[in-house]
Amino acid sequence: MFLLCAEIAGVYLSSTAAGNLSTVFDIGGTMGGILAGYISDRMNSRAIVAASFIYTALPALLFYRVFGSGSFWLNGLLLFIAGVCVNGPYALITTAVAADLGTHESLRGSSKALATVTAIIDGTGSIGAAAGPLLTGYLSELYGWNSVFIMLMISAVLSGLLLTGLVIEEFKESARNAKARKGGRDDGQL
């Protein structure tokens, strides 16, 4: 994803080496999806976890851009971390959120609802997957690689902002649950 004509530690990578190295991003993405799912299950807060991963992607992308060309191994490590941060929330959104929306009480009884919601989410992701490389090629050719990383960071900020309403609702729900638990303990102690 990030390695077209990459130079690492003064050496240009072959297409094969760059392709192999870019696989590290996908491996990180797989681990990020598993980690995000595990944390969201433990916390019961999908939006908070997704937003946390998205906002963590900002410094990960910045560090990758600034330090990724220092050495092959540092590049791989930073690419792995970026994969974790970028693909973790993607996995949550395309699976857990689709299931939540598809089983929402307003859609109960409609077996087609889950398929429709999942198709909308996956279709939107496919548009992004098609537009991303197109924009990357265009921006890198005209304005250089820094513009590509700026685009990625702006995309992460916009994604995080779009989750803000859900994050606020999850914090409110968490506060209500904590208050109810505390109230239940106080009543039991009297």
Side-chain angles (χ1 to χ4, degrees), residues 50-65:
S52 298
F53 272 73
I54 288 170
Y55 286 126
T56 306
L58 293 168
L61 291 167
L62 182 63
F63 287 162
Y64 179 80
R65 181 63 185 145

Side-chain angles (χ1 to χ4, degrees), residues 6-177:
E7 180 184 358
I8 300 175
V11 176
Y12 281 95
L13 298 179
S14 68
S15 297
T16 301
N20 290 338
L21 187 58
S22 71
T23 303
V24 173
F25 179 85
D26 295 324
I27 294 168
T30 301
M31 301 316 278
I34 293 167
L35 183 62
Y38 177 77
I39 293 170
S40 91
D41 285 347
R42 298 283 293 176
M43 292 179 56
N44 197 23
S45 301
R46 290 185 182 100
I48 293 170
V49 172
S52 298
F53 272 73
I54 288 170
Y55 286 126
T56 306
L58 293 168
L61 291 167
L62 182 63
F63 287 162
Y64 179 80
R65 181 63 185 145
V66 173
F67 302 112
S69 62
S71 76
F72 186 81
W73 295 108
L74 182 59
N75 185 294
L77 175 66
L78 293 173
L79 204 52
F80 178 84
I81 292 169
V84 168
C85 296
V86 169
N87 282 353
Y90 175 77
L92 279 180
I93 291 168
T94 58
T95 55
V97 174
D100 287 350
L101 290 174
T103 57
H104 192 268
E105 61 191 41
S106 65
L107 301 174
R108 201 168 307 275
S110 173
S111 61
K112 296 179 183 179
L114 181 58
T116 302
V117 169
T118 302
I120 290 169
I121 291 173
D122 284 345
T124 305
S126 296
I127 292 169
L134 180 67
L135 280 172
T136 298
Y138 178 76
L139 289 173
S140 66
E141 190 71 28
L142 289 178
Y143 305 108
W145 281 102
N146 284 334
S147 65
V148 173
F149 282 88
I150 291 169
M151 174 196 70
L152 292 170
M153 288 185 242
I154 289 170
S155 297
V157 168
L158 290 174
S159 297
L161 290 175
L162 289 171
L163 283 172
T164 300
L166 291 173
V167 169
I168 290 169
E169 286 302 315
E170 282 187 359
F171 275 122
K172 286 180 181 177
E173 172 103 15
S174 180
R176 282 192 297 267
N177 290 342

